[in-house]
Amino acid sequence: IQYFTTNSKMPKVSIITPSIRPKGLEITQKCLKNQTFTSFEWLVEVGLGNKHDFNQAMNRMIKRAKGDLIIILQDYIKVSDTFIQECVDAYKPDTLFTCPVGKVDNEIYEGSPKWDWRNNPNSQMDWRMWEIDVGFCAKDILFAVGGFDERLDEYWSMDNVSVGMRAGILGYKFDVLRETKCIAFDHDAFIEHPFRKDYKPAIINMIMEEYKENPKLNYLLLT
């Protein structure tokens, strides 16, 4: 699925959304239609529910993306009308950003959100803290690290930390856009996650150790 608008006076941005819950894309689409910044494309990978295909899906979207700035926005997350503009204004070619997410227990996004650590002004940000429910960076960074590690599709989890660790080893910076607050429906509280059973921490830790010797993968170089 691709949603695309153009404005020759503004730089292009690629929004990428992986989804195992297509219903959650409705709020994402509504938010993107209301953006004040209109020069962007929206790339979506749906139907990932039969197997954990997250990292492969992310790499497919990154390779298709036309924008120099990649914004990762997962389903069931509500953003403000100025969200993309705020990401563009904060953009730095050497920095990976994330934004605070507050969770609510209803699909009409009412009530007091339960904010995560990213809303804490005293939190220290490094590669371990980079989140991709709402995160963004230059496409060049993702190509420099070689994309998402597709081996992790077999073991579930640590997808964001994998990219963050490799980017940190290569000298990239990390930051939190604390004023760009987003709201998410806490679907995990009501829907059993289909892939948690595949979590294999010992194998994941072994893969992470390999990055210390070779942080650059080649998934984005493959056709």
Side-chain angles (χ1 to χ4, degrees):
I1 300 172
Q2 185 170 338
Y3 175 75
F4 185 66
T5 62
T6 59
N7 183 332
S8 60
K9 296 181 180 180
M10 293 290 189
K12 285 186 178 180
V13 174
S14 295
I15 314 288
I16 63 177
T17 303
S19 179
I20 61 173
R21 301 168 292 259
K23 182 181 177 183
L25 295 172
E26 295 175 5
I27 185 66
T28 312
Q29 184 176 29
K30 182 178 180 181
C31 290
L32 293 180
K33 282 185 175 181
N34 293 331
Q35 291 298 303
T36 58
F37 185 100
T38 59
S39 181
F40 68 92
E41 63 177 354
W42 183 28
L43 304 176
V44 181
E45 286 265 357
V46 297
L48 308 182
N50 294 328
K51 65 175 182 176
H52 185 233
D53 189 25
F54 179 86
N55 293 279
Q56 294 180 55
M58 292 294 285
N59 287 337
R60 288 193 295 267
M61 286 186 284
I62 292 167
K63 287 192 286 188
R64 297 203 317 266
K66 300 175 183 176
D68 294 320
L69 173 59
I70 303 289
I71 300 176
I72 305 167
L73 179 60
Q74 294 187 10
D75 54 22
Y76 278 110
I77 294 180
K78 185 176 182 180
V79 298
S80 71
D81 294 350
T82 58
F83 168 72
I84 299 179
Q85 184 66 63
E86 291 171 29
C87 294
V88 170
D89 291 343
Y91 166 75
K92 296 177 183 177
D94 64 347
T95 304
L96 296 87
F97 291 86
T98 189
C99 302
V101 172
K103 292 187 176 181
V104 294
D105 61 1
N106 59 85
E107 294 183 65
I108 55 177
Y109 295 82
E110 292 182 347
S112 299
K114 295 180 180 178
W115 293 99
D116 61 14
W117 68 269
R118 287 170 285 185
N119 198 44
N120 183 351
N122 298 318
S123 299
Q124 298 298 313
M125 179 67 179
D126 60 25
W127 63 264
R128 294 169 295 182
M129 306 299 184
W130 189 55
E131 300 281 358
I132 54 173
D133 46 2
V134 182
F136 63 97
C137 67
K139 182 169 63 174
D140 286 347
I141 295 178
L142 298 174
F143 272 85
V145 302
F148 283 74
D149 193 335
E150 296 181 7
R151 292 175 295 175
L152 295 176
D153 282 343
E154 186 174 352
Y155 306 111
W156 182 75
S157 193
M158 305 298 284
D159 313 302
N160 54 322
V161 179
S162 163
V163 173
M165 181 179 184
R166 287 179 279 130
I169 291 173
L170 293 176
Y172 291 101
K173 301 174 184 178
F174 299 85
D175 203 353
V176 182
L177 211 60
R178 288 195 168 88
E179 298 304 314
T180 305
K181 294 177 169 57
C182 311
I183 306 295
F185 169 51
D186 189 7
H187 48 78
D188 282 347
F190 305 95
I191 304 172
E192 182 179 358
H193 199 289
F195 304 124
R196 291 196 199 280
K197 64 183 184 302
D198 298 325
Y199 183 47
K200 300 290 190 300
I203 297 176
I204 291 173
N205 289 338
M206 182 177 65
I207 291 174
M208 298 285 283
E209 282 295 315
E210 292 178 9
Y211 301 151
K212 296 177 182 179
E213 299 295 329
N214 183 22
K216 298 182 180 181
L217 304 181
N218 63 355
Y219 289 107
L220 296 182
L221 300 179
L222 302 177
T223 58

